[in-house]
Amino acid sequence: TDVKHHPTKNKSTMKLAVFSALVCSAAAFAPAAQNARMTFLNADAAVETEAEVEVEVAAPAKEMSASIPFLLKPKNLEGYVGDIGFDPLGFSDLFDMKWLREAEIKHGRSAMLATLGFTMQQFWTLPGYDHVDDSNLGPTVVGASAMLQIVLWMGVLEFWTNKGNVTMETMFNDPARVPGNLGFDPMGLAVGKSQEELDLMQFKELKNGRLAMLAIGGMIHHNWITGDALF
């Protein structure tokens, strides 16, 4: 009876109910959409962070050579006395590092003796031989036989100290063999030294040997180019 007598009031009540239902529905769905959006954003951020970490781990900073800063540090020189990262031609990647160190030490020792002999030749002459100011002419004074004797006895010394293993492939068959260590210490300079002190002595020998190799080359070419004595 009330519905028939009050149609306007009925319609208003129905509109209010529909409006309330719509508001509730909107309120229910709005947070869910926002949460979903935040979840996607967080997932994207996590993926980006993980990718950045992977990139950092996969591409570590490469260490450069101390002596040649624009080249990479040679990895095979690490642990050797006198390592300053100098290997521009990459010999340490092509040859046995022990053999290379043995060759450097022996050439350095020969160069130190040669530097001394080249200098003394100008001021002192062996008895029985003619004096020459230009040390490059020394081999012509003593003759081929004396020079061949030097080559022969150096070969015998090389064979004896290496127990017959004189090739690159066999020289270090004994893993305990230290490059350049021939057990020659008549003055006992290595006796009672700590490992740190021995390393320092080896480093001094290497530096003097490297300097002597440059020096003897310069001395010989000086006399060749100028045609004069060294001093």
Side-chain angles (χ1 to χ4, degrees):
T1 305
D2 290 339
V3 174
K4 291 180 180 179
H5 289 286
H6 304 281
T8 304
K9 184 178 179 181
N10 237 352
K11 291 180 180 178
S12 298
T13 303
M14 291 179 64
K15 288 181 179 179
L16 181 60
V18 172
F19 179 73
S20 299
L22 291 174
V23 170
C24 291
S25 299
F29 283 104
Q34 185 176 4
N35 289 338
R37 183 172 178 273
M38 291 178 64
T39 302
F40 284 124
L41 289 176
N42 291 337
D44 292 340
V47 172
E48 291 178 0
T49 303
E50 185 179 352
E52 290 175 2
V53 172
E54 289 180 356
V55 169
E56 291 177 0
V57 172
K62 294 182 179 179
E63 190 173 359
M64 308 305 289
S65 168
S67 58
I68 313 177
F70 54 85
L71 294 180
L72 293 176
K73 180 180 179 180
K75 60 181 183 300
N76 292 331
L77 298 183
E78 294 181 7
Y80 282 89
V81 175
D83 171 28
I84 56 173
F86 185 83
D87 186 18
L89 299 180
F91 285 145
S92 61
D93 295 327
L94 302 175
F95 303 101
D96 180 14
M97 190 57 210
K98 283 188 174 182
W99 183 82
L100 290 173
R101 175 47 56 94
E102 177 95 0
E104 180 182 26
I105 291 175
K106 287 183 176 179
H107 280 82
R109 291 168 179 171
S110 299
M112 286 187 278
L113 291 173
T115 301
L116 177 62
F118 198 90
T119 304
M120 289 296 297
Q121 166 67 32
Q122 185 175 342
F123 304 102
W124 182 73
T125 304
L126 288 172
Y129 291 100
D130 297 331
H131 174 77
V132 288
D133 289 333
D134 186 355
S135 299
N136 282 340
L137 299 178
T140 63
V141 174
V142 299
S145 60
M147 301 302 296
L148 289 175
Q149 286 182 44
I150 295 176
V151 175
L152 173 64
W153 286 110
M154 287 300 100
V156 171
L157 182 63
E158 181 82 1
F159 189 88
W160 175 60
T161 56
N162 290 301
K163 299 178 181 180
N165 299 318
V166 294
T167 66
M168 186 190 306
E169 292 78 12
T170 62
M171 186 174 290
F172 292 97
N173 283 341
D174 181 6
R177 184 176 181 277
V178 179
N181 185 2
L182 305 179
F184 182 78
D185 186 19
M187 300 180 66
L189 297 177
V191 176
K193 296 288 193 304
S194 65
Q195 187 59 48
E196 184 178 355
E197 292 172 328
L198 291 174
D199 290 344
L200 180 60
M201 292 177 66
Q202 292 176 24
F203 185 53
K204 290 179 179 179
E205 181 185 26
L206 281 170
K207 291 182 71 175
N208 281 280
R210 291 166 179 172
L211 178 61
M213 285 187 278
L214 293 173
I216 190 62
M219 291 176 179
I220 292 173
H221 284 82
H222 167 272
N223 287 15
W224 274 347
I225 294 172
T226 64
D228 297 327
L230 188 61
F231 299 104

